[in-house]
Amino acid sequence: MTATHASDTTLRVLSTSDVAGIEISLADVVAVVEQAYGTLAAGRSDNPRKLTVKPEDGHSVAYAMLGRDGERGVVAVKTSYKHGLHEDRDKQHYYTTLTLYDDATGLPVAMMDCGRIGALRTPAVSALLARELAAPGSRSALVIGTGTQGRLALPFLLTTMGQLERLRVFGTHPDGIRAVREQLHAHFPDREVEVVTDLRAAAEDSDIVLATAGPHTPASVDAEWLKPAALSVLVGYGIAPSTLHRADRVIATSAAQMKVTGTDMADADGELRAVDAEFPEVLAGRAAGRTDPGQRIFAYNSGLVVTDIALGHRFAELALAQGLGTAVPLWQ
């Protein structure tokens, strides 16, 4: 850790606005996330299965995730809580935090709002999945959803796959569609995105289909709509369970987490398709991703807390170096 710790009795708290003001390039985010996967695959990091609580009526969901980054020597706890899942997006409440500790000094590093971390980490992972798993010669991508994850999906995809030529988005919220365009122009001002209304036609003509929509989306791409060698990546909602069960190969960031958060993709018997390989092992070269150019691949992006830790630590370094945040005497 390059920044100076205050003491063992205070905690530096970084608010949403503190984190929002820190500049970091998309390429840097991808590099940090890829490093986190590599350290995990090398057995130098720990990423236990997440804990989940959800009431019977499904009005909220909460997760708790603990992990350790062996490269950075950081231990962290992430919490995530969303309330109002049956409500429209503007009526929902969502809070997520990340608390970091320096495992070399034993001192606290910072506690921060983790919203921006997740908003950057997840599309970076999807872009890495696309880079490693898309069929050779892939030139087109379709993003389903225009929420937090959908808005940065295309800029990140172009960061890892600059050869993409045709970019499409399907969304039902005008503000979200406008935000997708704004983010694309901010990072790639010479590129344009095509807004589609015929989802099936767009899916049939896309090499990569990235589903980031919310649970109330009308979108549901079926396996028979996909090109023979298409890559479908699931982050949120927008593709049907058949895309998993009829895939030639299934890759997950974590097979254990897929069993926890991917239950909506179960078949009529309540079963999930088995995972063929986990993505950290694919990145490390110890497991195969695509084994044939013609394979139809399904990839499940559930996110791993070690990626949040690595990116959060990078943000904490930048924030503390700039004197951002508030020191709270939590343990006095």
Side-chain angles (χ1 to χ4, degrees):
M1 188 74 190
T2 58
T4 302
H5 298 277
S7 71
D8 61 356
T9 62
T10 63
L11 180 66
R12 178 70 58 169
V13 177
L14 301 173
S15 68
T16 303
S17 58
D18 290 328
V19 178
I22 299 170
E23 292 188 10
I24 187 169
S25 71
L26 302 189
D28 287 344
V29 173
V30 170
V32 169
V33 170
E34 188 168 7
Q35 167 263 306
Y37 275 131
T39 309
L40 178 64
R44 297 173 51 219
S45 291
D46 298 295
N47 194 103
R49 178 173 169 174
K50 67 172 66 174
L51 299 177
T52 308
V53 290
K54 190 173 185 178
E56 289 186 4
D57 65 2
H59 75 268
S60 70
V61 65
Y63 301 106
M65 292 146 277
L66 169 70
R68 182 181 186 279
D69 184 323
E71 174 71 20
R72 293 173 174 268
V74 177
V75 172
V77 180
K78 178 184 177 182
T79 62
S80 176
Y81 172 66
K82 181 174 284 190
H83 182 277
L85 297 182
H86 300 316
E87 302 287 345
D88 291 336
R89 188 181 303 171
D90 58 353
K91 295 181 180 179
Q92 295 180 357
H93 297 280
Y94 178 59
Y95 306 98
T96 178
T97 61
L98 181 70
T99 307
L100 300 154
Y101 301 90
D102 190 323
D103 201 33
T105 66
L107 297 177
V109 176
M111 178 180 183
M112 67 184 69
D113 168 49
C114 201
R116 190 181 177 203
I117 306 300
L120 291 171
R121 175 265 287 161
T122 304
V125 173
S126 293
L128 285 169
L129 286 163
R131 186 191 75 188
E132 297 297 320
L133 302 176
S138 292
R139 292 291 184 270
S140 56
L142 167 66
V143 173
I144 301 170
T146 60
T148 300
Q149 298 304 326
R151 296 176 186 187
L152 276 172
L154 290 173
F156 270 106
L157 280 174
L158 288 174
T159 299
T160 62
M161 299 187 70
Q163 73 272 26
L164 291 176
E165 298 170 352
R166 192 168 188 185
L167 310 174
R168 301 181 180 93
V169 65
F170 174 88
T172 57
H173 298 279
D175 289 345
I177 292 172
R178 184 162 48 251
V180 167
R181 282 199 170 106
E182 290 173 353
Q183 288 291 342
L184 180 61
H185 290 160
H187 295 281
F188 293 90
D190 60 331
R191 302 302 301 268
E192 297 293 334
V193 59
E194 174 187 349
V195 179
V196 301
T197 55
D198 189 335
L199 183 60
R200 178 167 186 164
E204 288 176 340
D205 193 34
S206 295
D207 299 309
I208 301 166
V209 177
L210 176 54
T212 74
H216 302 301
T217 182
S220 183
V221 171
D222 192 79
E224 68 179 22
W225 300 4
L226 297 174
K227 295 174 72 171
L231 166 67
S232 56
V233 181
L234 181 61
V235 176
Y237 300 84
I239 55 179
S242 60
T243 59
L244 164 65
H245 295 281
R246 291 170 58 184
D248 297 308
R249 195 160 174 80
V250 175
I251 310 296
T253 48
S254 167
Q257 288 194 14
M258 181 172 164
K259 291 179 180 179
V260 174
T261 58
T263 53
D264 57 300
M265 296 295 283
D267 63 15
D269 297 322
E271 298 294 327
L272 285 174
R273 162 78 181 274
V275 171
D276 294 297
E278 292 188 311
F279 192 52
E281 296 296 306
V282 173
L283 274 177
R286 290 203 294 267
R290 177 179 292 272
T291 58
D292 185 276
Q295 286 177 330
R296 186 178 289 168
I297 294 183
F298 175 93
Y300 189 79
N301 178 1
S302 61
L304 297 179
V305 73
V306 290
T307 58
D308 293 288
I309 294 172
L311 192 55
H313 182 263
R314 180 61 182 145
F315 269 92
E317 284 184 319
L318 296 170
L320 295 178
Q322 298 175 38
L324 297 175
T326 304
V328 178
L330 185 62
W331 294 288
Q332 289 186 8

